[in-house]
């Protein structure tokens, strides 16, 4: 951590320095030091955006890290907006079905749901889950996690029967792929 602090404190404006700032911001965010974490990730993002341009993959990744920080802080509206911006930029440079584009979209819909937008999130889950399943496989851990998030959103929206059916299928698939005692399998039934 001290090495990261030293690297982040330099006046250099290069990708390595921005990477150190982003890594330190992540650590500080995990410790609940939101103000300092936000300052560092914003500096890294601004520096790289000026150097590389708004749609450069490094800049888009930093935008996603800013969204992650906002999400962990509980600022779901900010997280959703940043994930959506990252998804749009990724779609423009990588394509609509690129794994990064799909990942950013999945995070955006989760932020929407976690922020209380259950009804608005449900159709987005229903739209995105089949696309991700087609691109990376129906039993891929990311797809199963997204389906678990969908089930939680169904439950929060008062659709208990649909939520239960979704959870049972996620549990069944995780059991087949990972085994019944794997932590991810067990988390499907909680």
């Amino acid at each position: 951590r001290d090495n990261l602090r030293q690297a982040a404190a330099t006046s250099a404006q290069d990708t390595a320095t921005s990477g150190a700032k982003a890594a330190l911001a992540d650590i500080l965010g995990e410790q609940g030091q939101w103000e300092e974490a936000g300052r560092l990730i914003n500096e890294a993002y601004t520096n790289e955006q000026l150097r590389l341009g708004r749609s450069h993959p490094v800049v888009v990744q930093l935008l996603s890290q800013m969204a992650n920080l906002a999400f962990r802080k509980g600022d779901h509206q900010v997280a959703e907006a940043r994930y959506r911006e990252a998804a749009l930029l990724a779609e423009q440079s990588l394509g609509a079905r690129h794994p990064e584009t799909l990942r950013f979209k999945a995070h955006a819909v989760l932020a929407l749901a976690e922020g209380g937008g259950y009804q608005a999130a449900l159709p987005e889950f229903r739209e995105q889950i089949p696309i991700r399943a087609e691109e990376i496989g129906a039993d891929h851990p990311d797809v199963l996690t997204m389906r678990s998030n969908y089930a939680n959103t169904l439950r929060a929206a008062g659709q208990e029967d649909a939520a239960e059916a979704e959870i049972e299928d996620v549990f069944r698939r995780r059991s087949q792929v990972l085994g019944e005692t794997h932590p991810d399998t067990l988390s499907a039934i909680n």
Side-chain angles (χ1 to χ4, degrees):
R1 187 170 139 187
D2 289 335
N3 290 340
L4 284 175
R5 281 197 188 278
Q6 284 179 326
T10 69
S11 61
Q13 293 187 359
D14 56 27
T15 302
T17 302
S18 293
K21 287 180 180 184
L24 184 56
D26 191 52
I27 292 168
L28 294 171
E30 288 177 10
Q31 297 173 350
Q33 297 180 40
W34 305 116
E35 189 174 318
E36 181 67 7
R39 184 186 66 74
L40 287 169
I41 194 68
N42 282 319
E43 281 180 14
Y45 174 75
T46 300
N47 289 340
E48 293 305 302
Q49 186 178 27
L50 290 172
R51 275 183 358 91
L52 303 171
R54 182 172 179 251
S55 61
H56 190 279
V58 168
V59 176
V60 175
Q61 190 59 43
L62 287 167
L63 180 60
S64 173
Q65 287 180 261
M66 291 170 68
N68 291 343
L69 185 64
F71 188 91
R72 290 196 326 248
K73 185 180 176 184
D75 195 345
H76 297 110
Q77 279 188 313
V78 169
E80 179 192 355
R82 288 182 176 158
Y83 285 132
R84 289 194 190 281
E85 183 179 353
L88 177 65
L89 293 169
E91 186 171 340
Q92 291 169 354
S93 61
L94 302 171
R97 290 180 169 253
H98 188 278
E100 283 296 286
T101 304
L102 297 175
R103 184 173 63 86
F104 297 145
K105 287 182 178 182
H107 289 321
V109 71
L110 178 61
L112 174 62
E114 290 290 318
Y118 312 121
Q119 296 300 332
L122 290 173
E124 289 190 47
F125 275 118
R126 286 191 286 269
E127 177 186 334
Q128 290 180 33
I129 290 170
I131 294 170
R132 288 194 90 195
E134 183 180 317
E135 292 300 315
I136 60 177
D139 292 332
H140 189 282
D142 290 350
V143 173
L144 296 176
T145 296
M146 189 172 195
R147 289 187 58 204
S148 182
N149 292 335
Y150 173 56
N152 291 335
T153 304
L154 284 166
R155 181 171 285 130
Q159 298 179 32
E160 290 291 330
D161 292 342
E164 178 111 3
E166 191 71 18
I167 288 295
E168 287 175 6
D169 191 54
V170 169
F171 177 76
R172 182 183 57 76
R173 287 176 179 271
R174 282 185 175 163
S175 294
Q176 291 171 346
V177 174
L178 302 172
E180 289 188 11
T181 60
H182 190 279
D184 288 348
T185 303
L186 297 175
S187 74
I189 57 174
N190 291 330

